[in-house]
Amino acid sequence: MTLTQHAAPPAPPAAATGPAPGPTRRRPPRRGPGFLLRPAFLGVVALLMLVPLYVLVVNAFKSQQEILTDPFGLPADGPTFQYIDEVFHNAQFDIMRGYAVTILFVVCVNVLSVVLAGPAAYVIARSTRRRYRALMVFFLAGTFIPSQVLVIPVVYVLKVLGLMGTVRGFVLFETVLTLPFSIFLYAGYIATIPRELDQAAAVDGAGRIRTFWRIVFPLMRPVVATMVILNTFSVWNDFVNPQIILGPGSGLYTVTTGVYAAVSQFSTDYTVVFPTLLLAIAPLLVFFVFMQRHIISGLTAGSTRG
């Protein structure tokens, strides 16, 4: 008998007799102090921002006595629209005309900003030469200069050109203020658009200008929408520049300068102050509610593409 005849076959693995193991239970992530601090911090910041807006809205529908005795409380007898209606008939300031003048400025500045900043950003983004990079740094430096610093030198320039106190002079100044950040944002977005599109357009016989307006510009809709929204806020909320450049002699009042002129004469009559201020910001709040998603998408589009 050989050793191979006595060798026993390997035993099969013993069957498990206990209960089958269940799915692995994951431990919940540990929640550090930041789990509670972040919401608390955001809540405090939101509260600080919302309290002034709440006071403005609530007091726009209350009487003078209620505002003086309880400025943070709700109207005791319910909101009244009497004071809102009186603002539309204020002889000191026609708020509807203020809306029209401000919207005119907003449209003109946005159109000129897109027409000037778009092609300039396209040239800078598509070129690799150093002088265009230096030009980009020059425009970028302009974003750090406050407009209030420039307004006095600009007044002298506009006087020499005969544009002081005119719509053209104010629109040109506001447009120039929007160019640095517009070019910076447009150039960053255009850099994410493939150059092959330009080459394909060139093969079809399109020049640089046609390539930009017909091929590249339609792809820039998110960032253009973002800049239009930001420029609209900037022009609508601007007070110093229209107050100095247009001046009372021009007879042109934006919403902010008109409200200032009307409210300054009734600074102790809060039934005029609060409704006028509320109507001054109401269109911008509505505009922001409907367009705020375009701001976020436009600012983040350049960082997620390419």
Side-chain angles (χ1 to χ4, degrees), residues 59-79:
N59 290 325
F61 302 95
K62 294 196 300 188
S63 64
Q64 178 81 358
Q65 185 64 27
E66 284 184 299
I67 296 173
L68 293 176
T69 55
D70 188 12
F72 292 94
L74 295 173
D77 300 326

Side-chain angles (χ1 to χ4, degrees), residues 63-122:
S63 64
Q64 178 81 358
Q65 185 64 27
E66 284 184 299
I67 296 173
L68 293 176
T69 55
D70 188 12
F72 292 94
L74 295 173
D77 300 326
T80 174
F81 292 88
Q82 172 190 350
Y83 307 111
I84 295 288
D85 182 66
E86 290 177 357
V87 172
F88 287 102
H89 302 89
N90 190 341
Q92 304 298 326
F93 173 54
D94 186 353
I95 194 167
M96 298 305 295
R97 187 168 184 266
Y99 284 156
V101 172
T102 307
I103 291 173
L104 172 66
F105 290 152
V106 167
V107 173
C108 293
V109 169
N110 277 315
V111 171
L112 286 176
S113 179
V114 171
V115 170
L116 296 176
Y122 177 65

Side-chain angles (χ1 to χ4, degrees), residues 105-214:
F105 290 152
V106 167
V107 173
C108 293
V109 169
N110 277 315
V111 171
L112 286 176
S113 179
V114 171
V115 170
L116 296 176
Y122 177 65
V123 172
I124 292 174
R126 286 296 191 249
S127 177
T128 57
R129 297 178 181 177
R130 288 187 177 181
R131 59 173 177 265
Y132 291 105
R133 298 300 174 190
L135 190 61
M136 184 65 194
V137 174
F138 173 75
F139 282 116
L140 185 60
T143 60
F144 297 97
I145 301 176
S147 63
Q148 292 78 11
V149 176
L150 302 174
V151 68
I152 300 302
V154 167
V155 166
Y156 284 96
V157 173
L158 293 178
K159 283 183 178 179
V160 172
L161 298 177
L163 297 176
M164 189 64 188
T166 64
V167 173
R168 291 175 296 166
F170 179 71
V171 169
L172 287 176
F173 179 55
E174 289 286 339
T175 302
V176 170
L177 293 180
T178 66
L179 291 182
F181 190 65
S182 298
I183 292 175
F184 171 70
L185 205 61
Y186 290 166
Y189 190 87
I190 293 172
T192 66
I193 298 176
R195 293 174 180 268
E196 287 76 8
L197 295 177
D198 301 40
Q199 298 169 358
V203 171
D204 291 339
R208 297 290 298 273
I209 297 177
R210 187 179 180 186
T211 299
F212 171 73
W213 290 111
R214 300 293 297 274

Side-chain angles (χ1 to χ4, degrees), residues 181 185 221-233 284 287-302:
F181 190 65
L185 205 61
R221 279 184 298 179
V223 72
V224 170
T226 300
M227 280 312 307
V228 168
I229 295 169
L230 296 179
N231 292 338
T232 299
F233 291 161
L284 214 54
F287 183 72
F288 175 77
V289 169
F290 285 100
M291 302 296 291
Q292 54 88 18
R293 64 186 178 89
H294 294 285
I295 300 177
I296 300 174
S297 63
L299 290 176
T300 58

Side-chain angles (χ1 to χ4, degrees), residues 2-16:
T2 63
L3 292 175
T4 55
Q5 292 174 328
H6 288 281

